[in-house]
Amino acid sequence: MTVRIRSLLTSGPIMVSLNSGRTVRLSPGRWSAELRDAEVADNAKVDKLSRRGDIEVEQSGEESEAAAQEAPAAQDDAGASKGTRTRKRTDSAG
């Protein structure tokens, strides 16, 4: 399962420390990317921010995990059809 965190603050960013040691920076009213639920489970910092009303933690279902797995595959297909881009070098006479 995954979770997302949203900042409920109206001004200034908020830093949320995760169990893995990483930190998520959230602008006011913004959602984080999906995180593993282990990142916020039994996390005193997250619990405190949630109790204070600074953040909201939303549980995401398995459906969103399936969508996240399909998204990279779609990007790979789109990149393959574009081909490679090259830059032409122009000679300048200085």
Side-chain angles (χ1 to χ4, degrees), residues 48-92:
K48 179 181 176 183
L49 291 170
S50 183
R51 278 194 315 269
R52 287 177 37 186
D54 292 343
I55 63 169
E56 173 186 0
V57 179
E58 174 188 82
Q59 295 286 332
S60 301
E62 293 179 16
E63 298 154 2
S64 59
E65 287 182 11
Q69 290 175 357
E70 291 175 10
Q75 290 175 351
D76 291 342
D77 292 342
S81 64
K82 288 183 180 179
T84 58
R85 292 178 35 172
T86 60
R87 295 180 84 178
K88 292 183 180 180
R89 176 176 266 177
T90 58
D91 294 329
S92 61

Side-chain angles (χ1 to χ4, degrees), residues 4-66:
R4 292 187 332 161
I5 303 171
R6 182 175 73 141
S7 171
L8 299 176
L9 297 179
T10 57
S11 64
I14 189 168
M15 303 295 279
V16 181
S17 300
L18 303 176
N19 288 337
S20 64
R22 292 185 7 217
T23 303
V24 175
R25 179 188 183 275
L26 298 172
S27 296
R30 295 294 196 175
W31 286 97
S32 70
E34 290 193 0
L35 306 165
R36 293 179 305 158
D37 57 348
E39 293 283 10
V40 297
D42 299 323
N43 185 320
K45 175 80 171 178
V46 171
D47 292 340
K48 179 181 176 183
L49 291 170
S50 183
R51 278 194 315 269
R52 287 177 37 186
D54 292 343
I55 63 169
E56 173 186 0
V57 179
E58 174 188 82
Q59 295 286 332
S60 301
E62 293 179 16
E63 298 154 2
S64 59
E65 287 182 11

